[in-house]
Amino acid sequence: MFKFAGGALALFMATALSATAATVDVKMLTHGSDGAYAFEPGVVRIHSGDSVRFIPTDRGHNVQSIPGMIPAGAQSFSVPFSQERTIKFTTPGVYGYKCLPHYSFGMVGLVVVDNANNEAQARKAPMYGKAKDRFEQLFQQVDNASK
């Protein structure tokens, strides 16, 4: 009887925990509220176990994590061009991502899972073009929200 009750409790807890996981939508846009080539919102704050759904509102965009801008031990991720994909995040930290063909135009974003414990390391990743300026704005949003 106790084995069954323990198993039922474990199943209930797993179901309850998965039921509380959130999914946040991020749109891939050619023209965003802050200008051309944007992910909206640019900064997403979630908890470990939550997901981000990348939506190709405008065609011709993709999503790729940026080497050096994800927490140690975390999985890199990629969303093919013009496809919707949901990515689950389980490792706390900052994740930087880009649209490959529009990176130099500043089409970048950040996902913060629980905390920004790897922000200093992520800021050291090579950046160029408008992406560098846009990341500075996004990191400023992360820093302001942490105060």
Side-chain angles (χ1 to χ4, degrees), residues 49-105:
D50 291 348
S51 299
V52 175
R53 180 175 35 239
F54 293 97
I55 302 170
T57 305
D58 296 329
R59 297 182 63 74
H61 302 295
N62 78 321
V63 178
Q64 292 180 337
S65 57
I66 299 173
M69 292 189 80
I70 63 173
Q75 283 284 124
S76 61
F77 58 92
S78 181
V79 177
F81 285 92
S82 303
Q83 291 187 26
E84 181 175 307
R85 182 85 32 98
T86 300
I87 307 293
K88 184 176 182 176
F89 293 85
T90 58
T91 304
V94 173
Y95 295 74
Y97 62 90
K98 65 183 176 183
C99 172
L100 182 62
H102 303 118
Y103 175 71
S104 64
F105 298 119

Side-chain angles (χ1 to χ4, degrees), residues 115-143:
N115 59 61
N117 60 2
N118 65 318
E119 180 180 344
Q121 172 248 324
R123 283 178 172 265
K124 292 178 184 176
M127 300 175 216
Y128 59 88
K130 291 183 180 179
K132 185 174 183 172
D133 295 333
R134 182 68 177 139
F135 269 129
E136 186 55 42
Q137 294 169 356
L138 298 176
F139 279 120
Q140 191 63 46
Q141 288 179 32
V142 170
D143 293 344

